Amino acid sequence: MKLSIGIVGLPNVGKSTLFNALLGKQVADASNYPFCTIDPNVGVVEVPDDKLPVLAEIVKTDKIVPAIVEFVDIAGLVKGASQGEGLGNKFLTNIRDCDAICHVVRAFSDSNIIKEGSVDPQGDFEVICAELIIKDLETIDKYLDVNKNNAKENKSKKFALAAKLKSELEKGNLTVNLKLDDEEKEMIKEFFLLTAKPYFIVANVDEDTYKDIENFKLKIENWESVVPVSAKVEFDLAELNPEEKKDYLKELGVEKSGLERVIQKAYDTLGLQSYYTAGVKEARAWTIKKGDTAPKAAAAIHTDFEKGFIMAEVVSYEDFVQYKGLLGAKEVGKLRHEGRDYIMRPDDVVEFRINV
């Protein structure tokens, strides 16, 4: 499963610095002036996973394949972007191509960094949301205008949904937060709305704040969705080897790096989880949706596997480690044979039986 996260925010809030830190290298231009990112930078990041080396050691393989996340560094938006201000509509289109939005807001103080727009994190978030709302209203209004005289269409559930979406957008509500029935959830996808994208917020904090980051709370309306990160500290961490990184995090009093917390938040936001396959060829993590059945999980390996699914041999990660692999788990009755209705659990270690 390809997972693409668009990093958005006002100019000079630290988007490109965060992007470079996540990738562990200098890719995006992080210059101190608005719109230093023109074309979106795209980078693929391996999901940090300390379980894979353990699995690889048990099955005696040197090949480890972690799950991956694609991050897209999108140019800074400004108030009026939907009408062409700043770099305008091009970057709203870049957002449309992503699975989720990572809103970066400025929660650090540095008089040497140019600041466009609002001066507070809540304001940063609201400016970006307003531009997404305005763009989506254009989309909905166009649909309603084209179909208003179509007797069949304007009596349809889709037309009624469009009218409902227009009303909510005009109130300043993001459509991702609306309560929709199953049919409406499928129908809304046809509009390709920016405000229907799942999102979370990254607060780019001062280096000193980072030292108390686990207790950090930001006064944003939906602060539970906020991940506090010091992009500058993360960039420094990216240049260290694993042991040095671990020591530095310990010195800061932080258990997980910003990269780990951002990816975990992305997984939670999109309702994703991982499962593993482990054998002599490789130990590998696969990304699926929470609630996926075993055949759906098999399709992550190859689409034909869902159709040819026979059964899944499943062991929990803990049992796999404790009993040194599938065979050891089988000998003590910890290997389960699951059918087409089995709902995958986080960290399952699986071997699929497929009819090819």
Side-chain angles (χ1 to χ4, degrees):
M1 175 182 288
K2 177 189 173 187
L3 172 58
S4 180
I5 307 296
I7 301 176
V8 304
L10 298 178
N12 293 324
V13 296
K15 299 182 311 302
S16 294
T17 302
L18 175 65
F19 177 82
N20 290 331
L22 292 172
L23 265 67
K25 54 186 176 182
Q26 183 77 31
V27 176
D29 188 346
S31 302
N32 179 24
Y33 55 90
F35 314 122
C36 65
T37 302
I38 297 177
D39 293 316
N41 297 294
V42 180
V44 175
V45 178
E46 295 181 352
V47 176
D49 192 331
D50 56 7
K51 294 182 176 68
L52 278 171
V54 178
L55 294 174
E57 185 177 353
I58 291 170
V59 297
K60 309 300 181 188
T61 183
D62 293 326
K63 186 177 181 182
I64 293 176
V65 185
I68 58 172
V69 175
E70 180 182 273
F71 284 99
V72 184
D73 177 31
I74 296 170
L77 294 177
V78 296
K79 187 175 182 179
S82 55
Q83 276 78 49
E85 290 296 322
L87 293 171
N89 290 331
K90 177 180 178 182
F91 303 101
L92 294 169
T93 301
N94 296 146
I95 296 171
R96 201 184 303 276
D97 295 332
C98 296
D99 298 307
I101 300 173
C102 169
H103 288 271
V104 180
V105 297
R106 177 169 170 165
F108 67 91
S109 56
D110 187 339
S111 58
N112 295 316
I113 302 293
I114 299 170
K115 180 70 168 66
E116 293 286 323
S118 62
V119 295
D120 65 289
Q122 178 74 44
D124 285 2
F125 179 64
E126 290 174 353
V127 167
I128 300 302
C129 288
E131 294 306 314
L132 302 185
I133 287 170
I134 291 168
K135 191 64 181 174
D136 280 355
L137 274 169
E138 288 180 11
T139 300
I140 295 297
D141 283 339
K142 184 177 180 180
Y143 166 80
L144 291 171
D145 187 57
V146 167
N147 292 285
K148 63 184 178 183
N149 296 320
N150 183 326
K152 182 179 179 181
E153 186 70 16
N154 63 33
K155 291 180 181 178
S156 69
K157 189 163 184 178
K158 182 177 179 180
F159 196 89
L161 174 61
K164 176 181 177 179
L165 295 173
K166 177 178 171 66
S167 174
E168 293 297 333
L169 288 166
E170 287 177 339
K171 295 174 187 175
N173 295 326
L174 301 178
T175 56
V176 70
N177 296 327
L178 301 182
K179 290 184 178 179
L180 305 175
D181 62 34
D182 290 341
E183 188 179 357
E184 288 174 327
K185 286 176 183 177
E186 285 302 311
M187 218 174 284
I188 196 174
K189 294 176 184 177
E190 298 177 27
F191 294 113
F192 300 100
L193 300 181
L194 300 172
T195 60
K197 298 280 184 186
Y199 72 90
F200 59 97
I201 303 163
V202 167
N204 188 9
V205 302
D206 293 300
E207 293 172 77
D208 288 341
T209 304
Y210 198 89
K211 295 176 182 178
D212 192 34
I213 209 163
E214 302 299 344
N215 296 317
F216 177 85
K217 291 184 180 180
L218 190 66
K219 291 182 180 178
I220 289 184
E221 184 178 344
N222 185 19
W223 72 262
E224 292 88 351
S225 293
V226 175
V227 182
V229 171
S230 171
K232 188 175 185 305
V233 169
E234 292 298 318
F235 192 72
D236 292 339
L237 277 170
E239 298 180 335
L240 303 177
N241 65 43
E243 270 314 305
E244 291 173 331
K245 188 179 296 185
K246 191 180 294 184
D247 291 341
Y248 189 23
L249 287 171
K250 188 175 181 180
E251 184 181 322
L252 291 169
V254 179
E255 290 184 8
K256 294 183 178 180
S257 69
L259 171 61
E260 291 175 279
R261 286 183 284 111
V262 167
I263 289 179
Q264 184 59 58
K265 178 59 74 173
Y267 268 57
D268 291 344
T269 300
L270 289 166
L272 302 176
Q273 65 185 38
S274 294
Y275 77 89
Y276 301 98
T277 54
V280 291
K281 289 185 178 180
E282 65 182 22
R284 184 165 186 156
W286 303 89
T287 301
I288 59 172
K289 289 186 176 295
K290 292 177 180 177
D292 273 355
T293 60
K296 282 285 184 186
I301 299 175
H302 195 289
T303 51
D304 290 345
F305 284 12
E306 182 175 6
K307 186 177 180 181
F309 178 89
I310 298 173
M311 70 173 180
E313 296 184 339
V314 185
V315 178
S316 70
Y317 170 79
E318 291 76 12
D319 287 340
F320 192 95
V321 173
Q322 182 175 350
Y323 301 108
K324 306 300 180 185
L326 285 175
L327 184 58
K330 182 178 181 180
E331 289 173 350
V332 295
K334 295 294 185 180
L335 176 68
R336 308 190 310 275
H337 294 90
E338 303 288 0
R340 302 188 69 86
D341 295 332
Y342 175 68
I343 304 298
M344 298 291 292
R345 300 172 188 171
D347 302 335
D348 276 343
V349 184
V350 186
E351 188 170 297
F352 293 107
R353 298 300 179 189
I354 306 296
N355 181 10
V356 292

